[in-house]
Amino acid sequence: MGRVTERRKVIRIRDGAVSARPDTLVAEEPLEIRLNGKPLAITMRTPGDDFALAAGFLVSEGVLGAASELRTIVYCAGATVDGSNSYNVVDVVTAPDVVLPDITLERNVYTTSSCGLCGKASLDAVRTTARWAIDDGGQAPLRVEPEFLASLPDRLRAAQRVFDRTGGLHAAALFGEDGELLDIGEDVGRHNAVDKLVGRALRNDGLPLSRTILLVSGRASFELAQKAVMAGIPVLAAVSAPSSLAVDLAAESGLTLVGFLRGTSMNVYAGEHRIALRAGATPG
């Protein structure tokens, strides 16, 4: 498997002083995802948790929704992608009774480390392929305190091991409603970090993630809102801005979407019924 980090020479300039030194960079390599032996997608990713990444990607594509639907995920022996080794190609084999959506059979997509959408998705596409309604697990609506949400970015940052060495990774984390940090994913692509979380949950037969909060280190794009909806996650929070389409999708699906989560400040763009506001603090 490829390395998570690599060393490169850098010329460092500090206050006019110039020096040469090695620097630790986050690794970025292509990963080809095949479905039942057929090429499906190529994504740029940080090596590591490749099987979880592939599984999570297929959850967001509406292909997988339970561990029983997944037969195997393997590296393709001897396969190459532009001269790379077999650790850059994975084949996901589904159970025989899984009915594949037509979109997975007709398109071959390339995703970059900044965009996991590939020009395919729309509100209608997510609406027709989502397996679960955002219903808080059939229980009373999940309620989160603003103070609880405000504490999450620092906890995410403290858990980012590779970021401390490189400063170049996005992160995503799942928290339980009791505040427990359930899982964390790091990757050069923010959508890959989320796919790794969702893929691990799928392989552990943990979908839907109906009583969890998903925190992402960057902006809340449409594709991240899509992945949250497809995994049954009721709350998505981001430290930066959401896109207009992400807000539209959240409003239509019942997803609680929080952006600009910085310090004690945040904006709630949709699903405000899950935010436990103090008495008299309702917006005017």
Side-chain angles (χ1 to χ4, degrees):
M1 183 183 299
R3 291 180 294 179
V4 175
T5 61
E6 296 183 4
R7 302 282 278 177
R8 295 288 190 273
K9 180 181 177 180
V10 61
I11 302 300
R12 183 176 183 179
I13 304 173
R14 294 292 186 274
D15 299 322
V18 180
S19 61
R21 51 168 287 182
D23 193 22
T24 301
L25 304 177
V26 61
E28 183 176 25
E29 295 182 6
L31 177 70
E32 178 182 337
I33 300 173
R34 297 179 180 177
L35 180 60
N36 296 327
K38 297 181 179 180
L40 173 66
I42 297 175
T43 185
M44 301 302 295
R45 98 299 190 193
T46 300
D49 291 329
D50 290 338
F51 293 174
L53 191 161
F57 176 80
L58 291 175
V59 170
S60 67
E61 292 295 297
V63 177
L64 297 175
S68 61
E69 298 173 353
L70 176 63
R71 172 171 283 184
T72 61
I73 304 179
V74 297
Y75 286 108
C76 298
T80 61
V81 177
D82 295 332
S84 59
N85 61 39
S86 61
Y87 290 115
N88 282 339
V89 184
V90 298
D91 188 18
V92 181
V93 180
T94 59
D97 58 345
V98 172
V99 178
L100 301 179
D102 289 341
I103 57 171
T104 65
L105 301 177
E106 297 174 351
R107 68 189 187 94
N108 184 283
V109 298
Y110 172 81
T111 76
T112 70
S113 53
S114 61
C115 173
L117 189 57
C118 322
K120 178 268 309 179
S122 66
L123 294 176
D124 286 341
V126 178
R127 187 185 303 112
T128 57
T129 56
R131 297 197 181 198
W132 304 285
I134 305 297
D135 62 357
D136 303 292
Q139 304 175 40
L142 181 68
R143 299 275 286 175
V144 292
E145 301 280 348
E147 294 79 8
F148 168 72
L149 288 174
S151 72
L152 300 186
D154 285 344
R155 295 179 60 192
L156 172 61
R157 176 67 183 84
Q160 287 187 256
R161 295 177 297 173
V162 181
F163 183 89
D164 286 334
R165 298 158 57 194
T166 66
L169 281 179
H170 288 288
L174 278 174
F175 292 90
E177 59 185 313
D178 59 356
E180 180 184 1
L181 175 59
L182 303 175
D183 200 2
I184 183 171
E186 289 184 287
D187 198 277
V188 69
R190 61 174 59 88
H191 64 284
N192 289 338
V194 174
D195 279 342
K196 289 177 178 180
L197 295 179
V198 174
R200 284 196 287 265
L202 171 85
R203 300 180 76 196
N204 292 326
D205 206 19
L207 295 184
L209 292 164
S210 56
R211 306 291 296 186
T212 63
I213 298 95
L214 173 63
L215 175 67
V216 295
S217 61
R219 62 188 177 89
S221 59
F222 175 86
E223 63 265 24
L224 294 189
Q226 173 195 24
K227 291 178 186 298
V229 170
M230 295 298 286
I233 298 170
V235 180
L236 169 62
V239 300
S240 192
S243 70
S244 60
L245 200 58
V247 174
D248 291 344
L249 175 58
E252 288 203 15
S253 64
L255 174 71
T256 295
L257 179 59
V258 177
F260 290 109
L261 182 57
R262 302 170 183 175
T264 59
S265 299
M266 65 198 73
N267 292 344
V268 182
Y269 293 89
E272 60 273 10
H273 63 284
R274 293 192 182 90
I275 307 300
L277 299 176
R278 295 174 182 173
T282 54

